[in-house]
Amino acid sequence: MDRRYLAQRLMNEGRFSREEMGELLRKRSFEAVEEAAASPDCADEHPVITAVRQAAGGNFLLEAASYSEYMELFMGFLMDFLKAPAVVDLEAVPKHEQSDVFNAVSQRMSGDLSIVSGILAEDAQFLELASRYSMEKVSGPEDDLTVDSLEEFLNVVNGVFSRQMAEKGEEIDLEVPRRGRLMTPEGNQQLILRVYVDFGVFYVVLSSDEFL
């Protein structure tokens, strides 16, 4: 199993609660994760896929495969390019749980597969995501550098995802990313996932049409 996803596997197995895992990520205390992983049981080779399918439950029967594959790729990019150890929650976020106005970027992929991916985050997490990707200091959540950085991050992830799908015979075109602020995303076949990172929490939204 890819070691990047070790924390996700242990969370899937119930070794750590979401609160405990959030604290471990915040403190970057990975010794506990490594110690728990020393058990001889058989490891799930794709714990992110397992987590997303559990979050989706019995919904999104047609979309579950693409949503889970996309999130495995997204989480890998998050850890590699933003140097953010991360896990995705095993429970989907109800559509109307959010009470705050979030900063958001999204991009639609259309063609043989129609999927919109997006990032929702409060100011501090939005700025940190952008700063880590751009490797520059950003000044505000609506600053062009901030938003451009996260649009580019999505574009890179989605570009790789589209190539993976092309290898399976599904052609996908990337549309122009969108930006904005919103309280509640409203997309069809929508799955909202809570992602825990070392600097807090943000959300990934997946849907079959534009929610922003």
Side-chain angles (χ1 to χ4, degrees):
M1 185 192 69
D2 190 325
R3 300 292 291 181
R4 294 175 300 173
Y5 305 122
L6 177 58
Q8 184 72 62
R9 176 174 71 87
L10 296 176
M11 188 169 172
N12 291 0
E13 293 173 355
R15 310 282 192 94
F16 298 99
S17 68
R18 65 182 63 168
E19 292 79 11
E20 290 171 332
M21 184 59 73
E23 185 68 9
L24 288 174
L25 293 174
R26 186 180 68 80
K27 293 182 176 179
R28 288 180 168 258
S29 299
F30 303 124
E31 294 83 1
V33 173
E34 294 288 344
E35 182 178 345
S39 61
D41 60 330
C42 182
D44 181 355
E45 291 295 324
H46 298 280
V48 173
I49 289 177
T50 299
V52 174
R53 290 187 175 180
Q54 179 171 326
N59 302 313
F60 319 112
L61 294 179
L62 296 177
E63 294 81 11
S66 56
Y67 285 4
S68 57
E69 287 180 39
Y70 178 86
M71 278 305 296
E72 184 176 59
L73 180 67
F74 181 96
M75 296 291 279
F77 269 78
L78 186 64
M79 289 185 271
D80 287 345
F81 288 90
L82 277 62
K83 307 303 179 188
V87 296
V88 60
D89 203 328
L90 304 179
E91 295 182 9
V93 180
K95 236 181 190 182
H96 300 285
E97 177 178 297
Q98 297 97 329
S99 59
D100 297 322
V101 176
F102 291 100
N103 307 289
V105 293
S106 71
Q107 185 175 39
R108 183 180 181 186
M109 296 169 273
S110 59
D112 293 332
L113 177 69
S114 180
I115 178 172
V116 178
S117 64
I119 294 171
L120 270 63
E122 296 182 2
D123 289 358
Q125 288 72 35
F126 201 70
L127 289 171
E128 185 65 21
L129 285 165
S131 178
R132 291 196 185 195
Y133 184 74
S134 65
M135 293 185 290
E136 296 185 41
K137 185 176 180 178
V138 294
S139 59
E142 297 184 57
D143 178 70
D144 282 344
L145 176 59
T146 302
V147 181
D148 288 347
S149 295
L150 291 183
E151 287 180 340
E152 182 182 337
F153 175 71
L154 267 188
N155 194 62
V156 170
V157 176
N158 294 349
V160 174
F161 181 72
S162 69
R163 290 197 293 273
Q164 288 184 352
M165 292 298 100
E167 292 173 359
K168 298 181 179 182
E170 296 189 72
E171 296 298 326
I172 300 175
D173 295 318
L174 305 186
E175 299 187 8
V176 177
R178 299 179 65 167
R179 61 179 71 185
R181 288 173 62 83
L182 79 167
M183 180 179 291
T184 304
E186 295 285 354
N188 290 314
Q189 298 301 100
Q190 179 174 280
L191 180 63
I192 307 175
L193 298 165
R194 184 183 289 105
V195 178
Y196 299 95
V197 287
D198 59 330
F199 51 90
V201 178
F202 70 95
Y203 302 88
V204 173
V205 182
L206 298 168
S207 66
S208 60
D209 58 6
E210 187 58 68
F211 62 86
L212 180 56

